[in-house]
Amino acid sequence: MQSLSLTQLPAWSTFTQAVQQATPDLEQLCLIDAAGLSVDFSGQRQSPALQQAAAELLEQRHFQEQRKLLLSGGIANPTEHRAAWHNLLRAPAATADVMHERERLNTFVRDADLARRWRHIVHIGIGGSDWGVRLSVGAFGYTKLWREVRFVANIDGHAIEAGLADLNPHDTLVVVASKSFTTAETLQNGQRALEWLQAAGVKNPFDQVVAITAHPERAAEWGVAPRHIFKLWDWVGGRFSLWSSVGLTTALSVSSDVVAGMHSGAAAMDHHFETAPIESNAPVQMALHGIANRSVLGIASLNIAPYDSRLIHLVPYIQQLEMESLGKSVDIAGNPVPVPTGPVVWGMPGTDAQHTFFQWLHQGSDGAAVDFIMCQQADHRWKNHHQSLLANCLAQREAMLRGKTVEQAYEECIKQGHTPKESEWLAKHRVHQGGRPNTLIVLPRLTPYHLGALLALYEHKVFVQAVIWGINPFDQWGVEYGKHLASDIIDEFNDQPCVKAHDVSTSHWINLLKKQL
Ligand code: F6P
């Protein structure tokens, strides 16, 4: 357990001073190669003093020991007293039960492919049981899928209605993914799907339902046959379950090779994280720059800008990973963390993002740190599209970094034919502050291997930040609280006595809605 709060560590004040004194050096290329990715930190503050202070900070936070604990399956999640051993799920040689489950999944997919079974898949799950699969299916099945996949996450009945609409129930596999097998959204949507199969006269509906859970007994009680239950383990955090059998939908719709490729890339990043020295360790450096931006420079948000439209679901994936993990304000000992922790994470693929909110990034009063992500090679044949895409990515980044002074803007206006008086006025509107911190992550190509490496890069970055802030990144008590309140309100809608006093507004709406629900 971390005993000292962050600001009590001698290295914290050295680190903050070093951050304040450092600047991004536009003449210094600062690249780290990690598991096939190239991570360019040239847009972040750099200095030898900063590196030195960062190394001391990590040392004073016992980073080496914490990393070892994480990667070897020790109790990295103390408030729930369990490991967070997702790296084992993608290890080339994992434990016998992990290998066994992988093999079961591959066999299931092989048999279904050989039999040309299931033209449609309805994947039901939410949060970590959803985003990773959506991301990988979107990334690698973006043109055409032999099996049509629908995702249903939201408890909103319109979601399941749309998810089932016009599918052939006799050729549909329903995949219910829930680590806990208690998540209201997933269970209710699963029930609707089951009723839909029954209503269509499917003789044995459970032949068409697969469950993925850490609680096989709950899935079995619901009616799923043991041969259709794939196991994950208590030591896999919900937001890391992409690496478990939750990947079944990806394997069925795109291929098992995609799942295996993502595992290899993530395992390579695990190896890099475990072995690379601090100064050339990409997740560690990313974490340190993130801490500098958030806790020292006070930058409250991190924008994720993937310049690849196939990565449409990367932003929500990283949002859950970062915000569910780092949205905490007490440390493991229960004391308030004395500095701001996890930033707001937001974004959208470029170039759409440029035409939506980049104005705010360039000239708004707050600014944000930005992670630009691009792939060197495209997988389509239109070279000029890819050139334009990458040019836009580099240009936006350069503008944020370099900025534009009032003198430059004035010259520009004069050259465009404006009078000196007009130019003086217009120039003020065209100034770009510049110096917005950013990181550029370059994938050679969007392969499963490189996407796996990218996701593991963010996972480890989040872990290192949690170590420095002294918080537990593996629980989510805030989400749990809301779930309990919702279940009490549902009881009240159903005329159960009110167990808790509400505020006036909540009571008003419960009473009003109760009459019409
Ligand atoms: O949002 C809270 C959470 O517990 C996430 O951590 C998880 O990914 C999601 O709910 C779904 O949980 P489960 O897989 O147990 O249904």
Side-chain angles (χ1 to χ4, degrees):
M1 193 177 290
Q2 310 276 7
S3 48
L4 285 181
S5 111
L6 182 58
T7 46
Q8 290 172 310
L9 298 176
W12 179 250
S13 57
T14 331
F15 179 75
T16 50
Q17 269 172 29
V19 171
Q20 275 148 358
Q21 284 161 8
T23 45
D25 182 350
L26 299 191
E27 301 312 317
Q28 183 76 41
L29 184 63
C30 185
L31 275 186
I32 295 181
D33 287 324
L37 309 183
S38 205
V39 190
D40 185 341
F41 293 108
S42 311
Q44 301 283 358
R45 293 181 176 221
Q46 308 285 347
S47 77
L50 180 52
Q51 278 305 324
Q52 175 66 31
E56 282 163 22
L57 186 58
L58 289 166
E59 170 95 30
Q60 288 174 18
R61 270 310 198 208
H62 311 293
F63 164 65
Q64 310 261 12
E65 294 85 336
Q66 301 274 343
R67 176 176 58 186
K68 192 162 175 215
L69 183 86
L70 174 82
L71 297 177
S72 60
I75 303 297
N77 175 358
T79 59
E80 295 178 307
H81 199 71
R82 55 191 182 216
W85 210 5
H86 35 277
N87 59 298
L88 182 72
L89 293 176
R90 57 223 188 188
T95 50
D97 50 349
V98 170
M99 299 302 271
H100 174 70
E101 221 46 28
R102 258 189 228 169
E103 200 35 54
R104 280 189 66 217
L105 185 143
N106 288 337
T107 307
F108 185 90
V109 175
R110 227 173 6 246
D111 291 350
D113 285 352
L114 281 172
R116 301 288 283 170
R117 198 72 227 278
W118 321 121
R119 287 306 299 255
H120 318 287
I121 299 170
V122 178
H123 181 98
I124 299 176
I126 195 161
S129 296
D130 171 57
W131 286 125
V133 188
R134 277 197 213 228
L135 168 60
S136 50
V137 172
F140 303 113
Y142 64 100
T143 47
K144 190 162 170 253
L145 292 171
W146 181 73
R147 293 189 172 100
E148 181 190 3
V149 188
R150 302 267 181 94
F151 291 94
V152 181
N154 201 306
I155 204 159
D156 181 348
H158 299 110
I160 185 72
E161 187 183 35
L164 300 174
D166 296 332
L167 299 184
N168 172 3
H170 296 274
D171 212 358
T172 297
L173 179 71
V174 176
V175 176
V176 181
S178 174
K179 178 188 169 187
S180 59
F181 225 76
T182 58
T183 301
E185 286 92 337
T186 305
L187 295 190
Q188 285 198 34
N189 285 326
Q191 191 58 36
R192 296 295 82 76
L194 191 63
E195 290 162 6
W196 173 75
L197 292 172
Q198 282 160 342
V202 170
K203 237 186 21 231
N204 188 355
F206 277 110
D207 272 354
Q208 294 183 211
V209 177
V210 164
I212 301 152
T213 179
H215 289 275
E217 74 292 350
R218 293 179 190 159
E221 201 183 311
W222 187 48
V224 186
R227 70 192 160 83
H228 274 191
I229 302 177
F230 292 93
K231 203 166 96 184
L232 58 116
W233 294 267
D234 208 34
W235 44 260
V236 183
R239 48 194 169 277
F240 304 91
S241 57
L242 162 71
W243 310 108
S244 71
S245 303
V246 168
L248 174 68
T249 297
T250 310
L252 279 169
S253 57
V254 205
S255 85
S256 300
D257 292 346
V258 164
V259 175
M262 287 180 68
H263 281 194
S264 311
M269 186 57 79
D270 293 338
H271 179 72
H272 167 87
F273 176 56
E274 187 173 13
T275 55
I278 295 297
E279 61 285 0
S280 52
N281 193 308
V284 172
Q285 290 299 318
M286 229 172 138
L288 290 165
H289 291 302
I291 299 261
N293 292 335
R294 178 69 187 112
S295 300
V296 182
L297 303 174
I299 299 171
S301 78
L302 171 66
N303 184 275
I304 307 287
Y307 274 73
D308 193 309
S309 59
R310 296 168 294 178
L311 294 178
I312 179 96
H313 300 301
L314 182 68
V315 174
Y317 184 87
I318 296 180
Q319 269 176 327
Q320 188 199 8
L321 175 63
E322 296 232 0
M323 295 175 82
E324 208 164 76
S325 302
L326 299 174
K328 321 277 162 74
S329 39
V330 293
D331 65 17
I332 290 173
N335 300 313
V337 182
V339 297
T341 56
V344 174
V345 176
W346 58 296
M348 185 189 280
T351 57
D352 309 64
Q354 291 173 203
H355 299 272
T356 310
F357 49 69
F358 265 41
Q359 168 60 34
W360 183 93
L361 286 176
H362 286 296
Q363 292 186 305
S365 50
D366 293 298
V370 185
D371 284 357
F372 290 93
I373 300 167
M374 69 183 194
C375 300
Q376 269 173 272
Q377 300 291 322
D379 290 291
H380 57 71
R381 60 183 188 282
W382 299 289
K383 193 174 163 199
N384 57 348
H385 277 256
H386 200 55
Q387 272 182 352
S388 304
L389 181 73
L390 301 195
N392 270 281
C393 178
L394 292 177
Q396 294 295 325
R397 177 170 172 262
E398 190 171 29
M400 280 179 208
L401 204 54
R402 192 176 286 281
K404 190 191 284 178
T405 62
V406 73
E407 292 77 18
Q408 288 168 330
Y410 178 82
E411 282 309 311
E412 182 186 281
C413 294
I414 292 287
K415 274 197 198 129
Q416 286 168 355
H418 295 286
T419 63
K421 189 151 191 265
E422 254 179 353
S423 299
E424 222 174 89
W425 166 67
L426 273 178
K428 291 181 190 151
H429 293 265
R430 297 188 185 191
V431 168
H432 280 236
Q433 189 187 338
R436 305 286 209 214
N438 68 72
T439 299
L440 172 65
I441 304 169
V442 182
L443 285 65
R445 189 174 214 132
L446 185 60
T447 67
Y449 180 93
H450 294 103
L451 181 60
L454 180 71
L455 300 187
L457 170 71
Y458 275 94
E459 282 177 8
H460 293 316
K461 174 200 100 158
V462 164
F463 171 74
V464 178
Q465 293 189 329
V467 168
I468 295 175
W469 281 319
I471 60 183
N472 179 3
F474 299 117
D475 59 13
Q476 58 284 319
W477 297 106
V479 188
E480 305 304 334
Y481 179 48
K483 283 188 199 170
H484 288 301
L485 293 185
S487 111
D488 291 346
I489 294 176
I490 292 168
D491 286 347
E492 285 182 60
F493 280 151
N494 291 309
D495 290 327
Q496 303 286 318
C498 166
V499 285
K500 256 188 226 112
H502 298 289
D503 58 276
V504 177
S505 170
T506 307
S507 299
H508 166 78
W509 289 108
I510 292 174
N511 292 329
L512 186 128
L513 293 170
K514 204 166 147 172
K515 293 185 197 130
Q516 63 188 57
L517 286 170

